[in-house]
């Protein structure tokens, strides 16, 4: 799949030889701008502080790798495949049916995954824990090969759009933006478009599949990771023609933004109590700052302006690659709720700045600048899981069911309008 396989493995494997970045300085200004390649071959542009953060992150990767290797040595190579639980609460409930060692493994694994899977182990761990290996085992061994041969040369609306999007998928990447890279990405996307005709192909999947190709050891494994992602991990109908699932996710996110990002007060304790409880707050000069959701509403800012790309591309176009893959580490183990944790964390991290904005453009600029320079995955994930609060898969499912009727009604109304316009044009 990747011709320069030795170079690729050098880049992604956990080894002491992962070099400290030596970026070439192309502008000697007070705020020096540097350009360099990250572990997965993407060109990154940032400042010296960004480079220092990336070097610190890579040192953490080495340290985390030693922890995983030690566990493999003491517990066995596939210790993480023991019966799993996704939360401590569930673990306590299942304690009677699981061996204590398995319960310990599950809790340890969740904590370890949130700290990051070493790049060299990532393909194996993802493939096992996501359910991709199990999904692949239910079909003949030659399934992917037979599928790609069977669809070769066939032309559909999906294949036309895929061909259009190939050169626009991470342009400039040393492997993805080559004939070989385009061919591999095309086979994965076209193959899946025939596997699931309801999804076919949706823009955004090209970025997801491309990143999977860079991580997984083989093209076929990348295909099965895409399959398990769309069929088991993410909400159904997220990538169908009307994007109904994605619209539902946006509404759920909007609601969570209201619930999970509380009011910010410049004072704690008595001052906040006074503001909530009586009119004396105004006399004391205590100014209320709105919730982020209220501020965005006042600006008439639609969260879908930024969140649609986040949810469709799973942050692969927004966050640096190494940060994106840390998010995916948790996504493949804990499920789609992780996307809400991360999206909320991005807003939370820039809460004070967002509360001072006066225009929609200001909000977009702050969020884009933030995501593009989030080189420290731990900073993002600490906020996502420690400062946002707990969200269970069951809670998210209930929120989705609550939003679905309104979304479907809105989409139906939109379809009626389009059909009406079409009929008028034909007269």
């Amino acid at each position: 799949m990747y011709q320069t396989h030795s170079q690729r493995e050098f880049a992604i494997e956990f080894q002491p030889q992962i070099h400290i970045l030596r970026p070439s300085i192309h502008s000697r200004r007070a705020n020096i701008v540097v350009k360099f390649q990250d572990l997965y071959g993407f060109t990154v542009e940032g400042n010296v502080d960004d480079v220092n953060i990336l070097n610190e992150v890579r040192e953490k990767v080495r340290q985390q790798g030693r922890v995983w290797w030690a566990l493999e040595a003491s517990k066995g190579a596939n210790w993480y495949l023991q019966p799993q639980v996704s939360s401590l609460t569930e673990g306590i409930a299942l304690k009677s049916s699981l061996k204590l060692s398995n319960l310990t493994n599950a809790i340890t694994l969740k904590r370890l995954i949130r700290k990051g899977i070493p790049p060299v182990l990532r393909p194996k761990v993802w493939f096992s824990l996501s359910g991709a290996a199990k999904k692949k085992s239910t079909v003949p061994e030659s399934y992917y090969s037979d599928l790609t041969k069977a669809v070769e040369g066939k032309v559909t609306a999906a294949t036309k759009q895929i061909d259009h999007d190939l050169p626009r998928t991470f342009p400039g990447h040393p492997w993805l933006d080559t004939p070989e890279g385009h061919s591999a990405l095309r086979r994965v996307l076209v193959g899946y478009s025939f596997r699931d005709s309801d999804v076919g192909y949706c823009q955004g999947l090209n970025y997801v599949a491309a990143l999977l190709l860079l991580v997984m050891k083989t093209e076929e494994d990348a295909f099965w990771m895409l399959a398990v992602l769309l069929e088991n991990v993410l909400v159904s109908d997220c990538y169908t023609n009307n994007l109904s699932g994605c619209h539902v996710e946006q509404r759920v996110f909007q609601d969570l933004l209201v619930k999970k990002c509380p009011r910010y007060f410049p004072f704690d304790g008595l001052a906040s109590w006074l503001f909530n409880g009586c009119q004396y707050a105004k006399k004391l000069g205590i100014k209320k700052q709105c919730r982020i959701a209220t501020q965005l509403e006042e600006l008439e800012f639609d969260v879908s302006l930024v969140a649609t790309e986040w949810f469709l591309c799973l942050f692969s176009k927004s966050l640096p690659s190494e940060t994106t893959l840390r998010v995916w580490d948790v996504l493949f183990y804990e499920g789609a709720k992780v996307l809400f944790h991360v999206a909320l964390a991005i807003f939370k991290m820039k809460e004070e700045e967002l509360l001072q904005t006066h225009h929609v453009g200001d909000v977009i600029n702050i969020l884009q600048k933030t995501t593009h320079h989030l080189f420290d995955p731990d900073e993002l994930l600490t906020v996502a899981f420690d400062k946002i609060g707990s969200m269970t898969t069951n809670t998210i499912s209930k929120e989705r069911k609550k939003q679905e009727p309104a979304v479907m009604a809105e989409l139906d109304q939109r379809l009626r309008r389009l059909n009406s316009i079409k009929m008028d044009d034909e007269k």
Side-chain angles (χ1 to χ4, degrees):
M1 188 271 291
Y2 206 139
Q3 287 278 343
T4 56
H5 209 72
S6 61
Q7 293 178 8
R8 176 186 179 221
E9 290 181 348
F10 166 81
I12 68 172
E13 292 197 8
F14 163 71
Q15 292 292 348
Q17 74 262 28
I18 294 179
H19 297 311
I20 298 297
L21 295 171
R22 304 295 184 193
S24 58
I25 300 174
H26 64 78
S27 179
R28 295 182 179 279
R29 296 192 297 264
N31 184 21
I32 298 175
V33 177
V34 293
K35 187 180 287 189
F36 50 90
Q37 281 193 344
D38 67 11
L39 280 177
Y40 291 89
F42 293 99
T43 299
V44 180
E45 191 170 298
N47 56 37
V48 175
D49 289 337
D50 294 329
V51 177
N52 291 335
I53 289 171
L54 266 174
N55 286 329
E56 291 173 5
V57 167
R58 293 187 181 184
E59 177 57 34
K60 290 179 183 178
V61 169
R62 286 192 283 268
Q63 294 172 2
Q64 187 70 357
R66 285 190 278 269
V67 174
W68 279 81
W69 293 126
L71 283 168
E72 292 228 333
S74 62
K75 294 176 178 288
N78 296 316
W79 65 274
Y80 47 82
L81 296 182
Q82 299 296 326
Q84 304 157 26
V85 291
S86 59
S87 72
L88 183 58
T89 304
E90 292 171 9
I92 294 171
L94 291 172
K95 188 173 181 179
S96 59
S97 61
L98 290 176
K99 292 181 179 179
L100 183 59
S101 60
N102 290 342
L103 176 61
T104 303
N105 280 351
I107 297 171
T108 300
L109 181 59
K110 182 177 180 180
R111 185 171 64 248
L112 278 175
I113 286 175
R114 287 189 176 186
K115 289 184 177 180
I117 302 171
V120 68
L121 292 178
R122 188 168 273 144
K124 182 176 74 168
V125 175
W126 277 11
F127 204 66
S128 300
L129 294 182
S130 67
K134 184 177 180 180
K135 186 176 287 290
K136 181 183 176 181
S137 71
T138 63
V139 298
E141 191 171 335
S142 61
Y143 177 92
Y144 180 68
S145 176
D146 293 342
L147 176 64
T148 54
K149 289 175 183 176
V151 304
E152 189 174 355
K154 291 188 176 181
V155 178
T156 65
T159 64
K160 290 178 181 178
Q161 187 62 55
I162 289 168
D163 289 335
H164 182 67
D165 288 346
L166 289 175
R168 302 192 299 177
T169 307
F170 298 125
H173 187 275
W175 182 75
L176 289 172
D177 195 14
T178 65
E180 184 191 0
H182 288 172
S183 296
L185 180 56
R186 188 182 193 279
R187 284 190 294 271
V188 170
L189 292 171
V190 170
Y192 192 80
S193 75
F194 280 90
R195 172 182 169 88
D196 188 345
S197 58
D198 289 335
V199 170
Y201 170 72
C202 175
Q203 289 178 304
L205 290 179
N206 51 322
Y207 294 99
V208 175
L211 205 49
L212 287 173
L213 279 169
L214 292 180
V215 174
M216 305 307 293
K217 292 294 185 182
T218 69
E219 179 184 311
E220 183 175 1
D221 285 353
F223 170 84
W224 287 111
M225 287 301 299
L226 183 65
V228 81
L229 189 63
L230 298 181
E231 296 165 16
N232 300 94
V233 178
L234 301 177
V235 65
S236 61
D237 299 330
C238 204
Y239 294 94
T240 51
N241 285 337
N242 62 4
L243 298 178
S244 59
C246 184
H247 288 297
V248 170
E249 299 293 76
Q250 302 305 309
R251 283 176 175 262
V252 172
F253 177 59
Q254 180 72 60
D255 276 5
L256 290 173
L257 198 59
V258 174
K259 297 173 183 176
K260 294 292 183 177
C261 294
R263 284 192 178 98
Y264 168 83
F265 291 100
F267 304 103
D268 294 323
L270 178 62
S272 294
W273 176 82
L274 282 169
F275 180 82
N276 282 322
C278 62
Q279 296 291 324
Y280 292 120
K282 293 182 180 179
K283 295 180 180 178
L284 292 175
I286 301 171
K287 295 183 179 180
K288 170 187 174 183
Q289 292 200 21
C290 299
R291 295 172 186 262
I292 292 177
T294 304
Q295 172 74 355
L296 299 180
E297 185 177 355
E298 290 176 356
L299 294 176
E300 297 184 353
F301 177 82
D302 187 344
V303 295
S304 65
L305 290 173
V306 291
T308 298
E309 182 180 282
W310 294 351
F311 281 82
L312 285 179
C313 300
L314 308 181
F315 297 100
S316 60
K317 275 191 71 180
S318 309
L319 296 172
S321 65
E322 295 175 61
T323 304
T324 300
L325 296 179
R326 282 286 301 279
V327 172
W328 288 14
D329 285 345
V330 193
L331 172 67
F332 284 124
Y333 186 60
E334 297 188 35
K337 67 174 185 177
V338 170
L339 301 177
F340 294 102
H341 276 279
V342 173
L344 289 167
I346 293 169
F347 275 88
K348 184 70 174 174
M349 291 170 74
K350 290 298 174 179
E351 179 177 16
E352 293 187 32
E353 285 186 44
L354 291 172
L355 290 172
Q356 303 301 321
T357 55
H358 300 287
H359 305 285
V360 169
D362 297 336
V363 177
I364 294 174
N365 289 337
I366 289 171
L367 294 174
Q368 287 183 341
K369 183 178 179 182
T370 300
T371 53
H372 292 162
H373 290 271
L374 268 173
F375 293 107
D376 186 353
D378 290 324
E379 180 186 10
L380 174 63
L381 295 179
T382 296
V383 176
F385 295 112
D386 294 346
K387 297 185 179 180
I388 294 301
S390 176
M391 285 188 288
T392 65
T393 300
N394 188 45
T395 300
I396 298 296
S397 296
K398 288 180 179 178
E399 287 290 326
R400 286 177 181 139
K401 287 181 180 178
K402 187 173 74 173
Q403 298 294 343
E404 279 174 3
V407 168
M408 297 311 296
E410 184 178 306
L411 292 175
D412 184 60
Q413 187 178 23
R414 185 182 303 173
L415 182 61
R416 289 172 185 272
R417 285 200 305 269
L418 290 173
N419 288 337
S420 177
I421 293 171
K422 186 183 294 185
M423 290 176 65
D424 291 341
D425 290 342
E426 291 174 354
K427 289 180 180 180

